[in-house]
Amino acid sequence: MHSRDDANEPQGMRDRESLFQTLFESSPDAIFIEDMDGCVLECNPAAAALHGTTREHMIGKNAAELVPPHRRGELITLSGKTPVEFQSWSLKVDGKSVPVSIRTSRIEYLGQPALLLNVRDITERKRFEEELRL
């Protein structure tokens, strides 16, 4: 995430920022911060792993590139409505799709409106649901 010169910040603020950084980095769920046009501003290691790539490769990508083509319309429809929770698919760099649950929230990031996306791989849940149907 964005780092700043900590010299002028009170200790409590640095501790809190460090805690949030740790939570962001260690979350098992993918976390994305996107601008209002869908450009990835920041993501955690789980987000890069979900897509089979690196964080550096993800930054600057448009969110539409991370979703199978037949699901991209959802991004446009949902970008202005938050919070929203829905199921969709994420596209890995190898072309495979992964079922996901996504929760979006509007936030302010570096003084600008942005979207926070929490994305959870639900492959195992979908597999279990399918087994229950049989």
Side-chain angles (χ1 to χ4, degrees):
M1 291 185 70
H2 181 68
S3 62
R4 308 187 295 259
D5 179 8
D6 291 338
N8 296 326
E9 290 185 23
Q11 182 64 38
M13 181 68 100
R14 287 192 299 271
D15 291 346
R16 193 167 136 198
E17 195 167 293
S18 176
L19 172 64
F20 284 115
Q21 181 70 29
T22 299
L23 293 170
F24 181 81
E25 295 291 329
S26 64
S27 172
D29 291 338
I31 301 173
F32 295 89
I33 299 173
E34 299 175 0
D35 67 18
M36 298 309 290
D37 293 324
C39 180
V40 176
L41 302 172
E42 187 60 77
C43 68
N44 69 348
L50 176 67
H51 292 281
T53 189
T54 64
R55 177 188 165 275
E56 293 74 22
H57 184 256
M58 302 288 289
I59 304 297
K61 289 245 184 246
N62 189 286
E65 297 175 55
L66 308 174
V67 176
H70 69 281
R71 302 303 290 245
R72 290 180 181 160
E74 293 172 350
L75 298 176
I76 296 165
T77 305
L78 296 169
S79 65
K81 303 175 187 174
T82 61
V84 174
E85 193 164 339
F86 62 102
Q87 291 183 9
S88 187
W89 295 83
S90 282
L91 188 62
K92 294 175 121 357
V93 293
D94 65 6
K96 293 180 182 172
S97 295
V98 177
V100 293
S101 173
I102 302 171
R103 178 159 174 81
T104 66
S105 301
R106 279 189 111 144
I107 63 169
E108 186 174 300
Y109 182 71
L110 302 178
Q112 299 296 316
L115 291 175
L116 174 70
L117 287 83
N118 294 82
V119 182
R120 178 171 289 173
D121 181 338
I122 57 172
T123 302
E124 291 303 314
R125 184 171 93 194
K126 290 292 189 183
R127 188 173 301 142
F128 182 70
E129 289 172 355
E130 187 61 32
E131 287 176 11
L132 287 176
R133 277 185 268 238
L134 299 178

